[in-house]
Amino acid sequence: MDYINQLDSQLGGFNFENCKRNELLKEKLKVDTMPVVKTGTTIVGFTFQDGVILAADTRSSSGFYICDKNCEKIHYMAPNIYCCGAGTAADCEWTTKLASAQLQLMRLNTNRQSRISTLVARLTDKLWRY
């Protein structure tokens, strides 16, 4: 339980300032707020002394419709690297497969483990062109 208290002291917990601000705007200034719509992806990563834990939901949606109930959002990149992706599922899948293949070729040519900085450089170069 000590590690949870340690994390809370480092991160400060969830901040409710925007919720308070929205209520103030609604009550005092008569500003109408947008209705809450649940969208997007949930991806979480935790680091700890012995490694990393990644978790993600598996739904792929388009507006209010669920298009795929079993969408992979944690992608294998190399034996020591995984990548979490959100957004356009097909683009994310293609981009991570391409980068993973490039890392594999580099590992085979150099006989070394893939480095995260190499992956970041490759993805940055690819995505800036997009």
Side-chain angles (χ1 to χ4, degrees), residues 10 21 41 65 71 111 113 119:
Q10 290 176 358
R21 182 207 63 193
T41 291
Y65 301 102
C71 179
N111 289 325
Q113 282 280 35
L119 174 62

Side-chain angles (χ1 to χ4, degrees), residues 9-95:
S9 69
Q10 290 176 358
L11 302 176
F14 187 78
N15 187 340
F16 288 93
E17 287 181 13
N18 284 339
C19 297
K20 292 175 186 175
R21 182 207 63 193
N22 291 346
E23 285 300 316
L24 178 70
L25 289 173
K26 191 173 181 180
E27 290 173 14
K28 301 286 183 186
L29 302 176
K30 306 294 185 210
V31 173
D32 195 20
T33 57
M34 296 289 292
V36 175
V37 177
K38 292 185 179 184
T39 61
T41 291
T42 301
I43 295 176
V44 179
F46 297 99
T47 60
F48 60 101
Q49 183 177 0
D50 297 325
V52 176
I53 296 173
L54 299 174
D57 68 333
T58 58
R59 289 180 311 188
S60 176
S61 59
S62 177
F64 294 107
Y65 301 102
I66 297 173
C67 302
D68 185 358
K69 292 182 181 179
N70 196 19
C71 179
E72 296 281 334
K73 295 183 183 175
I74 301 176
H75 305 278
Y76 170 87
M77 302 303 288
N80 59 326
I81 303 172
Y82 282 79
C83 177
C84 294
T88 305
D91 288 342
C92 190
E93 184 72 24
W94 184 85
T95 302

